Amino acid sequence: MKYDIVTQGARTAAFLLNEASGERSREQILLLKGATAFPAGQILSKNAAGKYVAFVAPADGATVEVAILYEGRDADNTADRYAAGVVRDCEVIESLLVGLTDPARVALAAAGIILR
């Protein structure tokens, strides 16, 4: 008997351990259009136009608004797309985050996002 092997990708909010009451940790965010699909748990930063992109480290001494994508989003070259992002006051599983760097750690900590 032959069985197919299925590999699952990141699941919606699998990275989220605990969040503030009333879903206060989440906000609707706007992802910049582009050819990149993002999985749940992708770390994002807000660009100068106010749209979220894959995390870009800020210049020394500058701050950046950061979010973790709540659920995966497909690529879309035609239009910006809305998504849910975890932006404050929560605990997350570090190993399930995508794009975690030292500058991202600092930005997440500043937003009250605790890595476990």
Side-chain angles (χ1 to χ4, degrees):
M1 185 176 282
K2 182 181 176 196
Y3 294 98
D4 293 330
I5 296 174
V6 177
T7 303
Q8 291 185 340
R11 299 179 74 176
T12 299
F15 64 90
L16 192 59
L17 282 173
N18 190 12
E19 63 182 319
S21 297
E23 299 174 356
R24 193 176 71 80
S25 298
R26 300 182 216 169
E27 282 186 7
Q28 181 173 308
I29 61 173
L30 186 60
L31 298 174
L32 181 66
K33 67 181 175 183
T36 304
F38 294 120
Q42 174 72 50
I43 301 173
L44 307 167
S45 59
K46 191 181 276 190
N47 66 13
K51 298 174 184 175
Y52 283 86
V53 297
F55 184 81
V56 176
D60 286 341
T63 60
V64 64
E65 289 187 50
V66 67
I68 302 172
L69 193 60
Y70 187 78
E71 59 186 343
R73 282 288 182 254
D74 292 332
D76 189 342
N77 280 324
T78 59
D80 298 332
R81 54 214 190 267
Y82 285 100
V86 177
V87 298
R88 70 180 72 82
D89 301 333
C90 64
E91 296 173 283
V92 298
I93 302 170
E94 181 177 351
S95 63
L96 296 181
L97 299 181
V98 177
L100 185 61
T101 61
D102 287 338
R105 287 175 192 278
V106 172
L108 291 169
I113 298 174
I114 300 168
L115 305 179
R116 299 282 187 208

